[in-house]
Amino acid sequence: MERSTLVDRLSELSSELTTAERENLKFLLSMAAGGLLSGHARTISEPLRDAALTAAQHSLPKLHGDLRPEFDTGVVFCGRGSFFSDGDLAVLDRESLAYRARAERFHDHYVASGAPIARELALSQSVNDYLASQVGPVLPTYKANYLYYDEPGLGIDPHVDKDEFSLNVLTMLEHRPDRRQSELILYPPGQDALHIHLEPGESLVFFADSVTHQRTRTVAGEAIRLVSFGYRTIGSAA
């Protein structure tokens, strides 16, 4: 079966599934893409591996029907966002430091949830207005997490996120030292990988449930703090 035919059939299948079934299909496609990007299935011929990876990557945004007809890299914005003031970033920085002791290990990184300032800013009019101007109205999902990669070997393997982080606003608060090893990599379908290096105060806004992405592993002495806000685009398959 040709890739385009398979992608179209998966998209058609997705339109007939329940929310839970669609999430399971997305999980399977994410696992397939992540495994292939991580070097699994080496016993399979390279052309077949490439075809399987391309089909999985192209299928992920198609699970959302016509919501993203112009889906390209999945990146909406990268840089210093107008939606956060210097004061906003300062209080997020302080709160993330205070919440480090509460963070729990989730796979290969640490997560702290429920911080009041982060949650308040995730619901702020400035963020919601900016997102609406770029992708149309969004629904805050009350997901505001501080992420910590501050031990050697922490990171996240290639994956896509759940619907709560359909649209992710990821903001760097600290990355030290100046000579850095760990990076965020996005794998947009049919394109070269995007290597993202955020400076403190910079944000990446992207469709985290549709483009495969990873955080490569930290090395000794490296420490990263981020805050991640999740939103759902209105009209998305649900």
Side-chain angles (χ1 to χ4, degrees):
M1 183 183 298
E2 294 183 358
R3 174 184 62 79
S4 58
T5 303
L6 177 58
V7 171
D8 290 340
R9 290 192 176 183
L10 286 170
S11 177
E12 182 179 351
L13 171 65
S14 175
S15 67
E16 301 173 357
L17 299 178
T18 66
T19 301
E21 290 170 338
R22 188 178 300 106
E23 193 72 21
N24 286 336
L25 176 58
K26 183 174 68 175
F27 175 75
L28 291 173
L29 289 169
S30 170
M31 291 292 290
L36 290 163
L37 287 166
S38 299
H40 298 307
R42 291 189 179 92
T43 58
I44 300 174
S45 68
E46 185 174 349
L48 185 56
R49 291 201 308 270
D50 290 344
L53 176 59
T54 301
Q57 288 180 312
H58 277 84
S59 295
L60 285 164
K62 289 287 188 179
L63 298 184
H64 302 274
D66 295 330
L67 182 66
R68 297 160 203 170
E70 298 179 0
F71 188 93
D72 185 16
T73 63
V75 174
V76 176
F77 173 81
C78 186
R80 180 67 165 84
S82 60
F83 40 84
F84 289 139
S85 68
D86 291 342
D88 293 335
L89 293 168
V91 294
L92 286 169
D93 183 56
R94 289 195 296 271
E95 188 177 61
S96 72
L97 287 169
Y99 267 71
R100 178 60 183 92
R102 307 186 189 191
E104 297 182 355
R105 184 154 183 157
F106 180 75
H107 297 302
D108 290 339
H109 61 292
Y110 290 86
V111 180
S113 303
I117 295 174
R119 180 170 291 183
E120 180 180 350
L121 283 174
L123 301 175
S124 70
Q125 196 65 47
S126 61
V127 175
N128 280 266
D129 285 348
Y130 175 80
L131 296 178
S133 73
Q134 299 300 306
V135 302
V138 298
L139 290 176
T141 59
Y142 302 95
K143 298 292 183 180
N145 296 331
Y146 288 117
L147 310 177
Y148 307 89
Y149 306 83
D150 50 10
E151 296 174 1
L154 295 184
I156 305 180
D157 290 336
H159 68 289
V160 297
D161 291 350
K162 295 183 177 180
D163 285 350
E164 287 84 355
F165 281 86
S166 175
L167 190 66
N168 192 349
V169 178
L170 185 67
T171 302
M172 180 66 70
L173 299 174
E174 179 186 39
H175 192 166
R176 57 180 168 82
D178 291 337
R179 189 173 183 178
R180 300 159 185 172
Q181 179 71 28
S182 176
E183 62 179 351
L184 180 65
I185 305 179
L186 274 60
Y187 301 94
Q191 302 181 54
D192 293 336
L194 300 177
H195 297 260
I196 308 294
H197 298 270
L198 295 175
E199 295 296 327
E202 292 184 337
S203 299
L204 173 68
V205 182
F206 71 112
F207 285 104
D209 68 344
S210 300
V211 59
T212 312
H213 55 284
Q214 73 174 121
R215 162 67 62 181
T216 60
R217 303 290 162 169
T218 52
V219 298
E222 190 171 19
I224 299 168
R225 283 185 293 115
L226 301 127
V227 60
S228 177
F229 299 159
Y231 302 85
R232 187 193 297 269
T233 49
I234 295 177
S236 62

